[in-house]
Amino acid sequence: MGEILRIENLCKQFGGIVVADDISLTLDAGEIVGLIGPNGAGKTSLFNLISGVVQPDSGRIFLQGRPLEGPLHRRARAGVVRTWQHMRLFRSMTVIENMLVATREYPGESMLRSMFATASVRRAEAEARARAMDLLARMGLTQTADNIVVDLPFGQQKLIGLARALMNDGRCLLLDEPMAGVEGSNYETMQRIVRDEASAGRAVCVVEHNVSFIKDLCTHAVFMAQGKILQRGSVDELTRSRELTELYFGTVDASVDA
Ligand SMILES: Nc1ncnc2c1ncn2[C@@H]1O[C@H](COP(=O)(O)OP(=O)(O)O)[C@@H](O)[C@H]1O
Ligand SMILES: [Mg+2]
């Protein structure tokens, strides 16, 4: 399957802190790439650079061969969608409202045009609602549609965070610590959905400290520290590396599975 995202020599500093130091990376359709490394390595910053939350000092990003530029909503429209390490749900809204708002945040040109035609607006709304209900059904969360989102257990809120991202039909999916605080059946659901999205031809990159999740899902992984990609390889190769384990935990005695 073909290349979806290509990052070339991306650099970014905040003051004296280098968060991206000559990062080059490609993501192909159907693959799930694990992005691992210690806190402060620059993993979230890389997602911020790709998704347009922050602009790079230098370097280029291409989505399906075209330069990926502009702010978050423009890139989302182009097909880069993401979840957030710290969930950004609208706390007082229901689940379905949170999901419908996700599509309105990135109105496409056709959507703007359709503002002038009430029938098209209604059709777009109905399509968005159907898509939202479909996603909730896939997650086993149909019954939660009208619940206030913060009343749900944390694991379900994380799933809703993913569902919101999937409301926008992006070819490139960036997941920032999707499993943090997620257990049991929600964990399995998250795993299944991520796998299915990759099988559907999306390129997925996932930041995650849960190494068994990375091992189960990822085609390969990339290890980052201090804004640099230090190593690429199979998850086994990376987690067996004494040097990387030391960087990750500050000691080689700690198990990577801890
Ligand atoms: N907007 C910002 N302004 C200044 N420093 C930032 C900003 N975003 C991230 N950083 C710094 O960049 C470094 C990398 O952070 P981050 O990308 O969040 O790491 P990770 O996700 O790997 O834990 C940290 O030292 C963080 O404090
Ligand atoms: Mg982070």
Side-chain angles (χ1 to χ4, degrees):
M1 286 198 252
E3 173 189 288
I4 300 291
L5 191 82
R6 186 164 82 250
I7 299 169
E8 290 180 356
N9 310 104
L10 212 58
C11 294
K12 179 71 183 178
Q13 288 195 24
F14 289 115
I17 304 168
V18 181
V19 294
D21 188 353
D22 200 22
I23 300 277
S24 295
L25 185 68
T26 59
L27 300 176
D28 288 348
E31 81 179 350
I32 307 175
V33 176
L35 183 56
I36 59 179
N39 283 330
K43 306 179 299 294
T44 296
S45 296
L46 183 57
F47 279 8
N48 287 344
L49 285 162
I50 299 170
S51 61
V53 177
V54 298
Q55 302 298 320
D57 297 332
S58 59
R60 297 192 302 174
I61 308 173
F62 298 90
L63 182 71
Q64 295 180 286
R66 295 203 192 94
L68 182 68
E69 288 161 351
L72 181 77
H73 63 90
R74 198 161 130 200
R75 295 185 194 204
R77 225 154 49 208
V80 173
V81 297
R82 67 174 292 180
T83 63
W84 305 86
Q85 185 173 347
H86 304 290
M87 273 183 287
R88 296 186 169 190
L89 299 173
F90 293 97
R91 298 173 56 81
S92 58
M93 286 189 188
T94 65
V95 167
I96 189 89
E97 284 165 352
N98 264 280
M99 294 177 70
L100 294 176
V101 162
T103 58
R104 287 187 207 123
E105 279 167 355
Y106 312 123
E109 278 175 56
S110 58
M111 182 87 160
L112 280 178
R113 266 200 298 276
S114 72
M115 303 270 185
F116 297 101
T118 324
S120 329
V121 172
R122 256 189 261 116
R123 196 164 53 239
E125 290 275 348
E127 279 168 13
R129 190 169 285 272
R131 184 175 177 84
M133 290 312 294
D134 217 44
L135 278 163
L136 289 179
R138 281 175 59 198
M139 294 181 175
L141 295 176
T142 304
Q143 304 305 322
T144 70
D146 295 320
N147 289 27
I148 299 294
V149 77
V150 287
D151 291 342
L152 298 181
F154 185 79
Q156 293 188 1
Q157 292 186 36
K158 293 281 280 200
L159 285 172
I160 301 301
L162 174 61
R164 285 190 91 224
L166 296 177
M167 285 297 288
N168 294 289
D169 198 11
R171 291 303 305 278
C172 177
L173 185 57
L174 309 173
L175 306 175
D176 202 349
E177 303 199 18
M179 303 314 294
V182 179
E183 298 167 339
S185 65
N186 294 324
Y187 183 102
E188 279 153 32
T189 304
M190 188 76 84
Q191 229 174 7
R192 171 169 52 79
I193 302 283
V194 173
R195 215 177 249 139
D196 288 352
E197 291 303 316
S199 304
R202 297 187 211 287
V204 183
C205 185
V206 54
V207 170
E208 192 39 73
H209 291 290
N210 184 323
V211 175
S212 47
F213 181 81
I214 295 278
K215 273 187 179 156
D216 286 348
L217 249 77
C218 294
T219 341
H220 64 276
V222 169
F223 188 100
M224 268 187 88
Q226 296 184 332
K228 273 196 187 66
I229 292 181
L230 295 188
Q231 201 172 324
R232 304 157 200 260
S234 73
V235 181
D236 276 343
E237 271 163 17
L238 265 57
T239 52
R240 269 202 311 266
S241 159
R242 194 182 163 87
E243 187 196 340
L244 298 185
T245 307
E246 201 166 338
L247 269 173
Y248 207 147
F249 293 105
T251 164
V252 286
D253 293 323
S255 155
V256 177
D257 279 313

